[in-house]
Amino acid sequence: GAVVSQHPSRVICKSGTSVKIECRSLDFQATTMFWYRQFPKKSLMLMATSNEGSKATYEQGVEKDKFLINHASLTLSTLTVTSAHPEDSSFYICSATPAGVTSYNSPLHFGNGTRLTVT
Amino acid sequence: AQKITQTQPGMFVQEKEAVTLDCTYDTSDPSYGLFWYKQPSSGEMIFLIYQGSYDQQNATEGRYSLNFQKARKSANLVISASQLGDSAMYFCAMRDHTGGFKTIFGAGTRLFVKA
């Protein structure tokens, strides 16, 4: 149980275009999803907390207008990288915890990540 | 403030031997959870083991055990009988009530298992 699907797994786009990444909880509902970014050989850095039905909470230093997050339903959150540039190239990975069990003792369930390359 | 520290960028272990990956943490919240994740080269994050701040005993899951020393704020992962498939990045993580239960990760340790 607790499967998170992320799509696409890889995407290459041209500089200046926008890319949308989807994160779906397949067998549970998630009021909260988390988006992380990972540079090569580095740790996961939390970008934002996606809240169903309300605005996302962004971490300090993350541009809200560049990384648009929408959490329209209890099973879907999307991250849109707007006007992408080569420095946005990275591994983006989403995670979720089933609704109602979000607590300090609940592990995150991760999607398989999206490798974005901006040329 | 939350903080997770992993000081071993890379570790080598001989197949079938045990290895300990270090993790220290800091938080002012008395209620927190500590987690270890494995990330193979393919990129997915695999949850391995959990330890709660109020747990009296060390957590164990198969070949994985967590050496929890609360007073020292350490939560080291022990992998017994290492296998070649254990070669991967390992991340220590912590979750508390900060900012809606967000989880932070350490820098990671790359484990190499030698045949």
Side-chain angles (χ1 to χ4, degrees):
Chain A
V3 177
V4 176
S5 174
Q6 188 170 341
H7 179 80
S9 57
R10 289 180 178 272
V11 59
I12 301 172
C13 71
K14 292 187 177 180
S15 187
T17 62
S18 295
V19 174
K20 179 184 284 188
I21 302 170
E22 293 188 347
C23 180
R24 294 182 183 272
S25 53
L26 297 185
D27 52 0
F28 65 98
Q29 294 182 329
T31 52
T32 304
M33 292 185 176
F34 301 91
W35 286 94
Y36 289 85
R37 179 175 182 176
Q38 185 179 29
F39 290 102
K41 302 187 189 302
K42 297 294 185 182
S43 186
L44 281 73
M45 299 300 297
L46 180 65
M47 298 176 64
T49 302
S50 171
N51 304 298
E52 187 269 334
S54 64
K55 290 183 179 180
T57 304
Y58 290 82
E59 295 299 300
Q60 192 172 11
V62 177
E63 297 179 60
K64 302 178 183 180
D65 295 332
K66 166 164 278 295
F67 300 101
L68 299 179
I69 290 173
N70 183 276
H71 195 153
S73 77
L74 286 171
T75 59
L76 174 64
S77 175
T78 59
L79 168 67
T80 301
V81 183
T82 63
S83 186
H85 291 284
E87 57 264 31
D88 298 325
S89 298
S90 193
F91 188 66
Y92 295 87
I93 190 165
C94 70
S95 63
T97 302
V101 298
T102 302
S103 178
Y104 67 86
N105 58 2
S106 304
L108 293 175
H109 301 280
F110 285 88
N112 285 343
T114 297
R115 194 162 302 281
L116 170 64
T117 303
V118 184
T119 60
Chain B
Q2 295 173 301
K3 188 176 181 180
I4 289 280
T5 303
Q6 292 180 257
T7 58
Q8 304 157 312
M11 289 283 287
F12 286 87
V13 65
Q14 197 68 38
E15 193 179 10
K16 300 182 184 178
E17 293 186 350
V19 63
T20 298
L21 307 183
D22 294 343
C23 173
T24 59
Y25 63 92
D26 193 20
T27 177
S28 57
D29 194 334
S31 305
Y32 54 88
L34 298 159
F35 307 86
W36 278 91
Y37 290 86
K38 174 183 178 181
Q39 187 179 42
S41 57
S42 52
E44 73 266 31
M45 294 288 287
I46 302 168
F47 166 65
L48 296 177
I49 194 167
Y50 158 80
Q51 181 83 46
S53 58
Y54 299 110
D55 292 344
Q56 295 296 313
Q57 295 192 338
N58 289 338
T60 60
E61 286 288 347
R63 294 186 299 110
Y64 304 109
S65 61
L66 203 153
N67 184 0
F68 181 45
Q69 297 188 43
K70 193 171 183 177
R72 296 180 59 188
K73 293 191 174 180
S74 73
N76 299 338
L77 176 71
V78 180
I79 304 175
S80 62
S82 297
Q83 303 172 355
L84 295 178
D86 294 334
S87 294
M89 278 291 287
Y90 288 82
F91 292 100
C92 180
M94 180 175 68
R95 194 175 198 184
D96 60 19
H97 294 88
T98 303
F101 299 102
K102 61 184 179 183
T103 301
I104 63 166
F105 289 81
T109 297
R110 181 163 293 280
L111 178 66
F112 300 91
V113 180
K114 299 181 292 184

